[in-house]
Amino acid sequence: MSIFTQADLLLRNDDVEDRDQEILLEELCRFLTHESAGIKGFERMPPEWAELNRLVSAGGTIPAKSVEAIATVEAWHQETRDLSLILSRQTETSVHQRLSRKHAVDPALRIKEELGALRDTHCLQVQFDIPDAAAPLAVKADLNRRTIEVGMTLRAPEDKKSSKARINWLLRQIKDEHGADLFVQCRWPGRSETTQHALADLMANPSICEEGKSGLQVVSFRIFLAKRLGARFTQQANFIVDLEKNVPEFYRDIGQNLAAWRRPAPRIKPDAFDTEEDLAETLGPHRP
């Protein structure tokens, strides 16, 4: 799938100048996509996935060397790699997982540290860098709540004075009505607690974001989809199906329309001096 994706991007972006090579790539893609080739993406979690979910649902503690947890993290890495390829083909750009340098060079360390995070939080997480997107696309699978979350975090516009004006800046970028599974988290300065509202409620009344936050200005927004899957979450194939459906849909409906705030360029004041003569006339004769 990785080879097919690279070839597909070369063709779609007209990056092949030689016509003979273009024909060869087209034939390669035709072969790789034919059912007889047997080339498929990641389709199902391992059997240990269901067992791990049963353990978490029963309130159990994931052991340090849990076979189920190790198999789950390794499968998650395969699936997130596949998701990056799916997003690459759909956006016609190169989408990559956002990895720290130490995780990129040491896969074993990545597995070890993500196993620790899974034991502590009961969550699997990944971020994708999409070229020119407003922010990384963050994906989380929460085993406690059996929920998939897909979202992006944007810095609030600092040239807007009130939190209502800042939330309106965000809402203007969301043009269509969406379902009840979309939410906005508002993050505030200092130790003030994060607040959360349904997107539909904010669309109806942006002022609710200021309730209980008098005198404070929102610092950033996290807009996200929270899809509660119930029993489908624990199922090997349906978990992958729902993940690969909801991640691209969130980016298509919300993420690709978002723009990051940037501080505006400084402007020349209307009463600024135009020439040195204007400046000299205003300051008067030079005095030693």
Side-chain angles (χ1 to χ4, degrees):
M1 291 305 294
S2 177
I3 293 171
F4 166 68
T5 300
Q6 293 178 47
D8 186 53
L9 292 180
L10 287 171
L11 291 171
R12 293 194 189 194
N13 294 319
D14 296 325
D15 288 335
V16 184
E17 296 182 0
D18 186 284
R19 178 54 186 160
D20 290 340
Q21 292 185 10
E22 185 178 7
I23 292 172
L24 287 173
L25 273 181
E26 289 172 349
E27 290 303 311
L28 175 62
C29 288
R30 185 175 293 112
F31 165 73
L32 291 176
T33 53
H34 194 276
E35 58 182 14
S36 64
I39 305 298
K40 297 180 180 180
F42 189 77
E43 293 184 317
R44 56 193 298 118
M45 296 293 281
E48 292 87 351
W49 171 245
E51 297 173 20
L52 185 65
N53 274 281
R54 279 194 290 270
L55 174 64
V56 171
S57 296
T61 300
I62 301 175
K65 295 183 179 180
S66 165
V67 173
E68 292 79 11
I70 293 171
T72 291
V73 169
E74 290 175 344
W76 175 253
H77 289 175
Q78 293 183 63
E79 170 56 14
T80 55
R81 171 60 175 155
D82 200 29
L83 267 174
S84 70
L85 297 176
I86 291 170
L87 289 167
S88 294
R89 294 193 296 273
Q90 292 185 349
T91 62
E92 299 185 7
T93 61
S94 294
V95 177
H96 299 284
Q97 298 178 70
R98 171 170 282 205
L99 299 177
S100 66
R101 181 172 298 181
K102 63 179 182 179
H103 285 179
V105 300
D106 191 345
L109 177 63
R110 180 188 175 196
I111 289 176
K112 178 182 177 182
E113 293 190 352
E114 292 191 10
L115 276 171
L118 176 59
R119 288 196 302 270
D120 293 341
T121 67
H122 293 172
C123 292
L124 298 163
Q125 300 189 63
V126 69
Q127 288 190 332
F128 297 101
D129 282 326
I130 301 176
D132 301 319
L137 184 67
V139 180
K140 179 169 74 173
D142 188 329
L143 278 70
N144 285 326
R145 299 168 58 220
R146 297 186 177 182
T147 300
I148 290 173
E149 291 187 10
V150 191
M152 298 171 73
T153 299
L154 274 66
R155 177 183 174 189
E158 296 173 7
D159 56 345
K160 309 292 184 186
K161 298 302 181 184
S162 70
S163 292
K164 179 182 176 181
R166 294 184 177 193
I167 195 71
N168 276 326
W169 168 85
L170 175 67
L171 298 178
R172 282 194 293 271
Q173 300 184 53
I174 305 168
K175 303 186 184 303
D176 301 319
E177 292 186 8
H178 300 284
D181 299 320
L182 284 164
F183 301 88
V184 176
Q185 273 186 352
C186 297
R187 294 174 181 168
W188 304 87
R191 296 184 178 180
S192 186
E193 292 184 0
T194 298
T195 55
Q196 179 174 308
H197 301 278
L199 177 62
D201 293 340
L202 285 169
M203 288 284 198
N205 182 13
S207 298
I208 62 174
C209 73
E210 298 179 317
E211 294 177 358
K213 299 294 182 179
S214 177
L216 297 178
Q217 293 174 318
V218 62
V219 173
S220 65
F221 305 109
R222 175 178 172 245
I223 180 167
F224 67 100
L225 169 76
K227 199 75 174 179
R228 195 176 293 273
L229 303 182
R232 289 180 63 88
F233 187 94
T234 67
Q235 296 165 0
Q236 295 169 249
N238 284 330
F239 172 73
I240 299 299
V241 169
D242 290 349
L243 193 63
E244 294 184 354
K245 173 179 180 291
N246 286 286
V247 171
E249 282 187 0
F250 172 86
Y251 183 73
R252 181 197 65 198
D253 295 341
I254 302 292
Q256 68 183 12
N257 300 316
L258 298 178
W261 178 78
R262 290 179 174 82
R263 191 178 299 279
R267 297 179 177 275
I268 295 177
K269 303 295 187 291
D271 58 348
F273 303 112
D274 292 330
T275 66
E276 291 184 4
E277 292 180 0
D278 294 336
L279 179 61
E281 181 178 341
T282 300
L283 294 179
H286 173 69
R287 294 181 181 180

